[in-house]
Amino acid sequence: MKCLRCDGVELEVKTRGEGTDIVEIDICPQCKGIWLDPEELQKLDDNFFLDIEKIEFGEVRATNEDIELFCPRCETGTMLDKVHPAQFKNLILDTCPSCKGFWLDKGELERVRNVSDQLLIASLLALDEEG
Ligand SMILES: [Zn+2]
Ligand SMILES: [Zn+2]
């Protein structure tokens, strides 16, 4: 998959965990953005975030917050929705209305880490039902 923000940059697949708890994430080596499929989101825990911090990246490029983002997973040019998880008003995430994947910019990942992971994940998964 290509990065949503960086022109022509291929996301790198990183795996973390073991056995049934394995998490596969797609990371942009340039902007540090992360793509998460919904089933991967449910497996996130502290170990995930600790591991992420160990990943070395190149220079971070400034991102334009206003550009429209398209899902890297869906082929039809599906535009991502901006969502605010109920309990975390300051957090804005981009999610695909079709495949329910999530895009986390670098700063967003850090904010996610600063809140209760389980609460956040429950909140994100509940977005679906709120329509
Ligand atoms: Zn990128
Ligand atoms: Zn999608």
Side-chain angles (χ1 to χ4, degrees), residues 35 71 73-74 96 98-99:
W35 178 261
C71 181
R73 181 75 78 196
C74 300
C96 175
S98 177
C99 69

Side-chain angles (χ1 to χ4, degrees), residues 3 6 28 31:
C3 180
C6 308
C28 175
C31 69

Side-chain angles (χ1 to χ4, degrees), residues 7-68:
D7 236 7
V9 176
E10 197 72 33
L11 297 179
E12 293 178 1
V13 177
K14 307 271 185 188
T15 52
R16 290 291 178 272
E18 291 173 16
T20 54
D21 291 327
I22 202 155
V23 182
E24 198 174 84
I25 53 175
D26 299 277
I27 302 185
C28 175
Q30 187 166 296
C31 69
K32 297 191 187 183
I34 293 177
W35 178 261
L36 288 169
D37 292 318
E39 62 271 23
E40 292 163 345
L41 189 68
Q42 295 178 61
K43 296 177 184 171
L44 300 190
D45 58 18
D46 278 348
N47 289 333
F48 168 84
F49 291 103
L50 290 173
D51 282 346
I52 286 288
E53 289 184 345
K54 294 178 193 156
I55 298 172
E56 291 185 18
F57 297 95
E59 196 73 10
V60 187
R61 198 177 68 163
T63 55
N64 181 350
E65 299 293 339
D66 295 322
I67 64 168
E68 290 170 345

Side-chain angles (χ1 to χ4, degrees), residues 113-125:
R113 209 206 152 172
N114 286 336
V115 299
S116 163
D117 299 334
Q118 290 308 314
L119 249 187
L120 175 73
I121 291 165
S123 177
L124 292 175
L125 292 172

Side-chain angles (χ1 to χ4, degrees), residues 82-107:
K82 299 265 183 210
V83 294
H84 303 258
Q87 294 97 325
F88 306 100
K89 297 293 183 195
N90 295 328
L91 191 67
I92 301 171
L93 299 173
D94 299 285
T95 182
C96 175
S98 177
C99 69
K100 311 296 181 193
F102 281 90
W103 175 255
L104 299 173
D105 287 316
K106 180 181 174 281

